């Protein structure tokens, strides 16, 4: 209904830019407007501006669903994301909640306590996503000795067209740090924190034994320098599993300007196979409802929506999960076919 | 005589700016070693200014084009005592680390502007020696836009001397697509330009890390070092131009990748307190650094062959102070290089920057291939593979210290791939030539190529015997445990097959008897086909005659 209005307003905004980097879309996949209209606009953008990258930051309400039809919305939106987005950074509500809770439990100085008291929890959760965005776009906003632009991220991080979900890790997550000049130890701690489970905006373990990494980006802001980055890369390569071709797939960026209140901060982006756990949750929740055909009549009433959309959507998500699994199971060439061990041979 | 530089992309612009500030510092240097001879110094300054800058009344203007597809880096340029007038930087939002994107689409946006400005710049010079392109090969703008523009330049100015300065990325990753970009750039520029000076980030980083032991390395330090090495070659020499120096090294058009080695490298803060060693020590240092790329194990160090060397010395020296005998050894050079051309020496009595003496070596040799495997390394790998097997990469890495685990893993998988392909080809070719199933050949290949760790049972021999048996040829004698194992397996198999219900194969299976392989057998020189059937030595399984006959 609003298609032309939306398109013209996008067009107007685009015409004002002298260099269009990419579109940033932010929505939650739980509700109707975000998941439905958001992904529709995503498709519009792909049709009208095929060469411009579309970055999607979307909130998955897994674990904290507040809408009953949430699984449907989530799955249908995920399908559209897989098909049309060039990069997706999913954020899970429960991960955000954990981070916020942890911060509330921490002991703070009086100032920060007051600051937190002023904020409402939802604002706090949103501010985490805002931080993610700020760090992500820092390369195009500020100068640095190794710039990272948004479009570079999708070149570097998406090895195959349907594996475009990135896990983001942020550090530090506190509102402000002590204003001590950062030294090597502090910087290293920041780096290690970005890898930790607690600092991920998704409930997945990036450095765990099951996750195989397809691409990494480390964006250091503030005091980081090139020798830091090189040591981090070496540590990361020792610590985590890679496929045979992605071991050197590291992108590093340095930005001179740190976030307000900090001396150094780091954003890590991972394209990892453990992302399939998120997709699995989405799919299983969809199937749980759809097997009973619960609430489907609301969707089927809408003109233009057919029953097979659900199945198609589940199919696409499963195929995406499968391609992650394929990579997990990808072994280096030439596995010996016969390796007799002692006398344990049974024929 | 002037050089025009074209700086592409973020890295190119940073290095270029470092180069200009290095040259500027050198010109303004008040150091004793530089200003001791007034007449000489004035000449040098005049020449150098003319070389790099366009001298105007209002000040110096760099003979340079700054090219980028985004504006952040270039904006930092203009707070210097000299001006960069030619800035071609649309804010197009970068080239996304994508060579193809830069080469085809981004380039269109800037190409005409660049060629126009370049023409202006060339017209300003009275005599132009060299067009110098500075770019990194990993990013999108430098590599993609750079290679396209350089191609256009070659079309426009076919006889001008074009030299590239290419910064190669860190091996362990900077950008994920760096290998694609680097390869595409180097292959494009190989034919088009006269020569290319390569700087490896890894090597430069190693040197700077030693220099800045008191603090962390910044990217600007790397740029500084590259600029210093470049300036030491490119600053005015007594009677030769930069292009002459460089072309003396690249005597053969197909070998045009060159590197720079220099000495001494000292921490700037320590420079005032440290005595710069004399010429012979410096020569030695440079010689060593040119020869040993892999410092781990001298046995592994590949034999380096030179095509040409040029030694440039800056600083006061008497005529016989420098000894280049070590560079003149015949065995180090490719055979077609004549003796007089092997190494050339150019001197400049004035020092450079704050260095009293500075020596740099422009070298064209095969050490740029150092990533590949030498024969000695391969031999070592083979030995260790036999010792530890393919799975114990850690042990192999210890035994082959010059290679990383990744290298080893990749080369093993490469060889395995090759072996498998060879196997598949041979199998398929034999299978297609004869209508019979090549069971014996397959078994033989298994025996030859399959990998086993078990030492007690020699499965290779078992497969070999099986292969021979299926062919009907006399087979090898098995030993001790292996024979026992083979025997057991065979009996088990025979029993299990017999117990199954295979009515069709009954004739064959009934005639099967447990093989008696432990007895010694003698081989005849000629095997009589019919004789095999009756001889229990040659046909231990007593395979029926009609099955062994050739189907003709």
């Amino acid at each position: 209904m609003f298609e032309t209005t939306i398109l013209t307003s996008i067009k107007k905004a685009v015409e004002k830019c002298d260099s269009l980097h990419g579109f940033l879309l932010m929505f939650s996949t739980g509700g109707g407007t975000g998941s439905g209209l958001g992904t529709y606009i995503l498709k519009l953008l792909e049709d009208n501006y095929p060469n411009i990258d579309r970055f999607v930051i979307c909130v998955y309400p897994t674990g904290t669903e507040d809408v009953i039809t949430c699984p449907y919305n989530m799955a249908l939106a995920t399908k559209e994301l897989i098909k049309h987005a060039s990069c997706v950074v999913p954020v899970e509500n429960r991960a955000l909640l954990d981070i916020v809770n942890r911060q509330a439990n921490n002991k703070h100085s009086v100032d920060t306590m007051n600051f937190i008291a002023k904020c409402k929890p939802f604002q706090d959760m949103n501010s985490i996503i805002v931080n993610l965005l700020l760090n992500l776009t820092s390369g195009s906003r500020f100068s640095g000795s190794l710039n990272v632009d948004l479009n570079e991220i999708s070149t570097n991080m998406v090895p195959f067209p349907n594996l475009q979900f990135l896990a983001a890790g942020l550090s530090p997550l506190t509102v402000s740090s002590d204003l001590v000049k950062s030294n090597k130890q502090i910087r290293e701690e920041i780096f290690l924190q970005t890898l930790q489970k607690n600092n991920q905006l998704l409930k997945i373990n990036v450095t765990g034994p099951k996750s195989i990494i397809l691409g990494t980006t480390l964006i250091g802001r503030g005091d980081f320098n090139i020798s830091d980055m090189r040591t981090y890369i070496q540590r990361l390569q020792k610590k985590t599993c890679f496929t045979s071709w992605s071991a050197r797939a590291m992108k590093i960026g340095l930005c001179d300007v740190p976030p307000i209140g900090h001396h150094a901060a780091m954003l890590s982006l991972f394209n990892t196979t453990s992302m399939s756990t998120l997709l699995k949750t989405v799919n299983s929740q969809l199937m749980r409802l759809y097997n009973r055909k619960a609430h489907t009549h609301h969707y089927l009433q809408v003109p233009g929506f057919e029953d097979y959309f659900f199945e198609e959507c589940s199919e696409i998500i499963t195929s995406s999960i499968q391609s992650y699994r394929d990579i997990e199971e990808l072994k280096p060439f030439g596995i010996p076919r016969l390796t007799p061990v002692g006398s344990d041979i049974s024929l | 005589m002037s050089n025009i530089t074209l700086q592409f992309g973020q890295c190119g612009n940073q290095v270029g700016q470092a180069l200009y500030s290095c040259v500027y510092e050198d010109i303004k240097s008040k150091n004793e070693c530089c200003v001791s001879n007034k007449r000489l110094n004035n000449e040098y300054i005049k020449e150098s200014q003319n070389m790099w800058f366009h001298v105007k009344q209002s000040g110096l203007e760099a003979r340079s084009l700054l090219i980028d597809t985004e504006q952040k880096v270039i904006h930092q340029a203009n707070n210097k005592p000299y001006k960069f007038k030619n800035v071609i930087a649309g804010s197009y939002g970068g080239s996304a680390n994508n060579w193809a994107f830069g080469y085809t689409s981004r380039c269109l946006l800037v190409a005409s502007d660049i060629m126009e400005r370049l023409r202006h710049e060339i017209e300003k010079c009275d005599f132009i020696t060299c067009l110098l392109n500075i770019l990194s090969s990993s990013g999108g703008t430098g590599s993609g836009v750079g290679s396209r523009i350089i191609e256009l330049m070659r079309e426009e100015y076919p006889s001008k001397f074009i030299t590239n300065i290419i910064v190669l990325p860190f091996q362990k990753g900077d950008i994920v697509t760096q290998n694609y970009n680097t390869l595409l750039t180097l292959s494009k520029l190989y034919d088009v330009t006269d020569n290319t000076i390569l700087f490896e980030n890894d090597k430069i980083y190693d040197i700077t890390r030693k220099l800045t032991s008191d603090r962390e390395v910044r990217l600007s330090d790397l740029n500084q070092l590259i600029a210093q090495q470049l300036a030491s070659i490119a600053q005015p020499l007594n009677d030769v131009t930069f292009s002459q120096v460089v072309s003396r090294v690249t005597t053969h058009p197909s070998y045009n990748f060159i590197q720079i080695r220099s000495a001494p490298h000292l921490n700037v803060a320590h420079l005032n307190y440290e005595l710069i060693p004399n010429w012979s020590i410096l020569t030695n240092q440079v010689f060593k650094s040119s020869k040993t790329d892999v410092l781990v194990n001298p046995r592994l160090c590949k034999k380096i062959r030179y095509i040409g060397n040029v030694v440039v010395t800056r600083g006061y020296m008497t005529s016989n102070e420098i000894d280049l005998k070590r560079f003149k050894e015949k065995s180090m050079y490719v055979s077609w290089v004549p003796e007089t051309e092997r190494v050339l020496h150019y001197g400049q009595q004035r020092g450079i920057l704050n260095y009293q003496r500075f020596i740099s070596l422009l070298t064209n040799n095969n050490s740029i291939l150092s990533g590949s495997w030498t024969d000695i390394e391969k031999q070592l790998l083979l030995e260790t593979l036999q010792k530890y097997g393919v799975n114990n990469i850690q042990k192999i890495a210890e035994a082959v210290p010059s290679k990383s685990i990744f290298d080893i893993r990749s080369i093993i998988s490469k060889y395995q791939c090759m072996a498998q392909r060879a196997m598949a080809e041979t199998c398929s070719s034999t299978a297609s030539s004869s209508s019979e199933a090549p069971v014996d050949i397959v078994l033989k290949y298994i025996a030859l190529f399959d990998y086993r760790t078990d030492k007690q049972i020699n499965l290779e021999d078992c497969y070999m015997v099986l292969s021979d048996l299926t062919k009907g040829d006399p087979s090898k004698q098995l030993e001790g445990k292996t024979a026992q194992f083979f025997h057991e397996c065979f009996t088990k198999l025979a029993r299990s097959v017999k117990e199954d219900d295979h009515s069709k194969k009954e004739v064959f299976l009934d005639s099967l008897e447990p093989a008696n392989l432990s007895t010694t057998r003698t081989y005849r020189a000629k095997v009589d086909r019919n004789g095999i059937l009756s001889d229990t030595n040659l046909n231990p399984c007593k395979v029926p005659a009609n099955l062994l006959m050739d189907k003709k």
Side-chain angles (χ1 to χ4, degrees):
Chain A
M1 199 193 303
F2 295 110
E3 186 178 334
T4 42
T5 336
I6 292 168
L7 265 180
T8 36
S9 59
I10 291 175
K11 201 173 169 191
K12 269 182 192 158
V14 165
E15 273 166 4
K16 275 180 201 157
C17 308
D18 51 353
S19 85
L20 187 57
H21 247 146
F23 296 109
L24 273 175
L25 290 96
M26 282 154 262
F27 47 77
S28 106
T29 54
T33 319
S35 65
L37 188 64
T39 48
Y40 181 71
I41 292 176
L42 187 68
K43 205 177 152 208
L44 271 189
L45 288 176
E46 195 196 21
D47 292 342
N48 288 287
Y49 307 94
N51 291 326
I52 309 289
D53 285 329
R54 297 163 301 280
F55 282 83
V56 180
I57 318 286
C58 56
V59 178
Y60 276 88
T62 44
T64 58
E65 289 95 340
D66 42 359
V67 187
I68 294 183
T69 51
C70 180
Y72 287 139
N73 297 338
M74 227 155 58
L76 290 167
T78 310
K79 171 199 130 192
E80 292 295 317
L81 288 179
I82 292 172
K83 273 166 89 176
H84 302 296
S86 54
C87 255
V88 183
V89 184
V91 177
E92 272 187 284
N93 258 347
R94 40 181 182 161
L96 293 183
L97 267 179
D98 282 359
I99 293 169
V100 172
N101 286 339
R102 223 176 312 121
Q103 272 184 36
N105 293 336
N106 274 359
K107 281 178 187 167
H108 291 291
S109 63
V110 185
D111 288 347
T112 28
M113 281 297 262
N114 289 337
F115 185 82
I116 290 171
K118 268 187 248 163
C119 304
K120 287 169 189 114
F122 260 116
Q123 265 177 18
D124 229 16
M125 279 160 73
N126 287 343
S127 80
I128 293 170
I129 302 180
V130 169
N131 266 330
L132 162 75
L133 277 171
L134 288 179
N135 282 329
L136 192 66
T137 54
S138 62
S140 21
R141 289 181 295 130
F142 302 113
S143 65
S145 44
L146 257 182
N147 271 325
V148 176
D149 282 332
L150 272 182
N151 48 7
E152 288 174 18
I153 287 175
S154 77
T155 319
N156 283 298
M157 295 295 285
V158 186
F160 301 109
N162 59 347
L163 305 179
Q164 71 274 63
F165 283 77
L166 310 180
L170 272 179
S171 176
L173 282 167
T174 48
V175 181
S176 68
S177 67
D178 312 326
L179 290 172
V180 190
K181 194 101 178 101
S182 69
N183 58 20
K184 207 170 177 182
Q185 277 81 34
I186 291 176
R187 268 178 278 151
E188 196 165 318
E189 198 159 302
I190 289 175
F191 160 71
L192 289 175
Q193 274 175 6
T194 54
L195 303 183
Q196 273 169 15
K197 214 172 159 185
N198 292 341
N199 283 38
Q200 297 291 330
L201 304 190
L202 276 177
K203 277 278 167 196
I204 59 172
N205 192 0
V206 178
T207 48
K210 276 203 170 174
S211 111
I212 290 172
I213 288 174
L214 310 178
T216 321
T217 300
L218 296 176
I219 299 176
R221 295 184 65 184
D223 296 336
F224 288 102
N225 56 41
I226 187 75
S227 50
D228 287 338
M229 289 311 219
R230 286 185 59 71
T231 44
Y232 300 158
I233 284 178
Q234 269 167 11
R235 291 186 64 169
L236 200 63
Q237 280 176 344
K238 273 187 198 148
K239 207 173 170 185
T240 47
C241 315
F242 293 91
T243 59
S244 57
W245 42 268
S246 71
R248 282 176 181 169
M250 296 272 186
K251 167 83 183 166
I252 53 173
L254 293 171
C255 180
D256 296 343
V257 184
I260 299 165
H262 296 282
H263 278 291
M266 189 180 258
L267 166 74
S268 68
L269 292 173
F270 289 97
N271 193 345
T272 143
T273 54
S274 54
M275 188 61 79
S276 58
T277 50
L278 174 73
L279 296 177
K280 269 182 207 158
T281 343
V282 171
N283 197 28
S284 66
Q285 287 194 357
L286 166 80
M287 289 326 277
R288 208 189 302 156
L289 273 188
Y290 185 67
N291 283 341
R292 298 270 170 211
K293 298 271 193 290
H295 298 283
T296 47
H297 63 279
H298 297 297
Y299 288 79
L300 296 173
Q301 275 168 9
V302 181
F305 192 91
E306 301 289 335
D307 198 17
Y308 70 86
F309 279 19
F310 287 116
E311 274 147 31
E312 187 194 341
C313 146
S314 157
E315 220 164 74
I316 286 175
I317 295 175
T318 327
S319 84
S320 188
I321 295 171
Q322 186 57 41
S323 42
Y324 276 117
R325 195 177 297 145
D326 284 348
I327 286 169
E328 259 173 33
E329 280 161 10
L330 194 76
K331 292 270 160 57
F333 305 108
I335 302 244
R337 278 164 297 161
L338 285 166
T339 37
V341 187
S343 55
D344 282 339
I345 300 162
S346 55
L347 276 167
Chain B
M1 288 184 291
S2 351
N3 296 331
I4 293 178
T5 57
L6 287 93
Q7 307 168 14
F8 295 97
Q10 176 163 30
C11 168
N13 281 304
Q14 284 174 347
V15 172
Q17 281 161 27
L19 175 65
Y20 274 98
S21 66
C22 189
V23 168
Y24 187 79
E25 256 175 62
D26 185 34
I27 293 173
K28 296 289 173 209
S29 175
K30 293 277 188 297
N31 201 297
E32 200 185 325
C33 60
C34 300
V35 292
S36 55
N37 187 339
K38 268 236 165 102
R39 190 186 55 80
L40 192 74
N41 190 33
N42 284 341
E43 254 175 44
Y44 177 87
I45 288 175
K46 210 175 157 194
E47 207 174 324
S48 175
Q49 270 187 355
N50 194 25
M51 189 179 232
W52 300 103
F53 299 101
H54 180 61
V55 188
K56 274 189 171 173
Q57 281 189 333
S58 55
L60 296 175
E61 220 175 79
R63 295 182 193 277
S64 170
L65 274 76
L66 279 66
I67 299 155
D68 204 347
T69 46
E70 51 170 16
Q71 291 185 318
K72 271 158 284 167
V73 185
I74 292 186
H75 276 313
Q76 300 165 355
N78 270 336
N79 46 12
K80 302 262 168 63
Y82 43 90
K83 289 251 153 41
F84 289 104
K85 271 282 164 72
N86 299 304
V87 175
I88 302 151
S91 60
Y92 305 118
S95 302
N97 293 157
N98 186 339
W99 186 88
F101 197 42
Y103 186 80
T104 53
S105 108
R106 281 288 170 256
C107 177
L108 298 176
L109 300 167
V110 285
S112 60
D113 200 10
I114 293 172
M115 298 316 282
E116 186 65 18
R117 299 276 190 104
L118 182 63
R119 194 174 55 79
H120 275 292
E121 204 54 44
I122 288 177
E123 280 166 4
K124 272 188 213 163
C125 307
D126 45 359
F127 175 67
I128 179 161
T129 47
C130 178
L131 295 168
L132 210 59
N133 307 304
I134 308 176
L135 49 110
S136 86
S137 66
S138 58
T141 313
S143 65
V145 177
S147 15
R148 183 78 197 121
I149 297 289
I150 292 165
E151 277 182 346
L152 290 176
M153 260 161 64
R154 179 48 95 202
E155 276 169 31
E156 188 96 7
Y157 309 101
S159 61
K160 283 276 169 286
F161 195 82
I162 300 179
T163 297
N164 308 313
I165 289 141
I166 294 186
V167 181
L168 300 176
F170 285 111
Q171 279 196 354
K172 280 228 171 111
D174 232 341
I175 290 168
V176 181
T177 49
Q178 61 183 21
N179 295 347
Y180 287 141
N181 293 340
T182 305
L183 215 61
L184 287 163
T185 314
L186 290 183
S187 65
K188 274 277 176 226
L189 297 185
Y190 178 73
D191 292 331
V192 179
T193 51
D194 293 286
N195 47 47
T196 303
I197 303 177
L198 295 176
F199 288 96
E200 288 161 87
N201 257 350
D202 282 305
K203 219 165 271 176
I204 298 284
Y205 179 81
D206 279 348
I207 299 173
T208 18
R209 206 178 46 189
K210 277 172 212 148
L211 293 186
T212 57
S213 48
D214 50 339
R215 59 182 174 82
E216 276 110 12
V217 180
R218 292 191 219 99
L219 268 182
S220 57
D221 298 325
L222 302 188
N223 296 337
Q224 192 70 37
L225 184 70
I226 295 176
Q228 203 178 56
Q229 291 197 332
L230 265 179
S232 74
I233 297 284
Q235 279 285 55
L237 291 164
N238 279 346
D239 38 46
V240 285
T241 62
F242 173 61
S243 58
Q244 273 171 321
V245 172
V246 178
S247 58
R248 290 312 273 276
V249 189
T250 46
T251 41
H252 192 290
S254 23
Y255 304 103
N256 57 16
F257 290 117
I258 46 185
Q259 292 163 296
I260 298 178
R261 301 273 177 271
S262 58
H265 294 296
L266 300 173
N267 194 327
V268 186
H270 303 167
L271 204 59
N272 291 334
Y273 315 105
E274 232 168 291
L275 203 66
I276 294 180
N278 63 17
W279 286 115
S280 62
I281 294 174
L282 289 180
T283 324
N284 259 341
Q285 277 182 12
V286 157
F287 179 74
K288 264 188 196 155
S289 69
S290 81
K291 211 170 158 76
T292 49
D293 266 340
V294 200
L295 283 168
V296 201
N297 186 346
R299 196 160 82 91
L300 296 178
C301 187
K302 181 174 36 180
K303 192 160 184 187
I304 290 192
R305 292 234 176 227
Y306 296 97
I307 290 165
N309 282 321
V310 166
V311 178
V312 176
T313 55
R314 292 180 183 275
Y316 180 77
M317 69 156 52
T318 50
S319 56
N320 51 5
E321 220 176 331
I322 193 156
D323 179 25
L324 295 174
K325 212 185 265 168
R326 299 187 64 175
F327 282 108
K328 283 183 178 157
E329 247 175 75
K330 196 182 169 192
S331 60
M332 290 179 355
Y333 287 86
V334 187
S335 57
W336 43 262
V337 180
E339 200 180 334
T340 49
E341 294 292 319
R342 276 179 199 148
V343 58
L344 293 157
H345 171 234
Y346 299 108
Q348 165 66 262
Q349 299 287 348
R350 182 190 185 272
I352 188 168
L353 291 165
N354 295 324
Y355 292 95
Q356 208 174 354
R357 306 186 188 90
F358 197 88
I359 187 167
S360 39
L361 170 80
L362 204 60
T363 169
N364 187 353
N365 58 37
N366 58 357
S367 71
I368 48 170
L369 305 172
S370 65
S372 63
W373 289 68
T374 62
D375 284 344
I376 301 168
E377 280 169 343
K378 278 181 194 163
Q379 204 180 332
L380 207 65
L381 178 75
L382 202 67
E383 283 167 19
T384 44
L385 273 178
Q386 279 166 353
K387 221 191 251 169
Y388 302 116
V390 234
N391 290 339
N392 203 342
I393 302 249
Q394 208 68 44
K395 276 269 167 56
I396 299 173
E398 278 167 27
V400 191
S402 57
K403 293 287 168 193
S404 72
I405 289 179
F406 286 126
D407 291 332
I408 290 167
R409 210 174 274 160
S410 69
I411 197 148
I412 288 175
S413 67
K414 185 182 145 201
Y415 282 139
Q416 279 177 336
C417 244
M418 275 162 69
Q420 279 177 347
R421 201 176 307 142
M423 229 168 111
E425 272 171 18
T426 332
C427 283
S428 63
S429 66
T430 38
S432 59
S433 63
S434 68
S435 58
E436 284 172 66
V439 181
D440 52 333
I441 293 168
V442 171
L443 285 169
K444 195 168 184 178
Y445 271 107
I446 294 174
L448 288 174
F449 289 110
D450 207 19
Y451 151 75
R452 264 153 245 109
T453 43
D454 195 70
K455 289 285 168 218
Q456 292 190 330
I457 294 164
N458 198 344
L459 264 183
E460 279 169 44
D461 282 353
C462 292
Y463 277 117
M464 212 48 147
V465 168
L466 272 178
S467 156
D468 288 340
L469 284 178
T470 40
K471 249 196 290 185
D473 285 348
S475 64
K476 193 180 162 187
Q477 173 82 40
L478 289 173
E479 282 165 13
K481 276 200 166 177
T482 318
Q484 203 184 337
F485 164 76
F486 188 75
H487 190 89
E488 269 173 30
C489 289
F490 216 91
T491 353
K492 260 189 203 169
L493 178 71
R495 205 181 300 138
S496 65
V497 171
K498 263 185 186 175
E499 280 162 10
D500 277 5
D501 182 35
H502 294 284
S503 51
K504 276 186 189 172
K505 293 173 184 165
E506 237 158 57
V507 189
F508 171 63
L509 292 171
D510 281 343
S511 64
L512 268 182
E513 277 173 26
N516 184 12
L517 290 161
S518 48
T519 53
T520 333
R521 273 174 278 137
T522 46
Y523 297 145
R524 295 174 202 163
K526 265 189 182 175
V527 183
D528 171 23
R529 278 275 165 186
N530 296 324
I532 294 172
L533 304 177
S534 53
D535 190 342
T536 45
N537 274 342
L538 293 178
N539 186 3
C541 308
K542 295 200 176 146
V543 182
N546 59 337
L547 286 169
L548 272 182
M549 283 302 171
D550 289 335
K551 293 170 192 164
K552 273 179 186 168

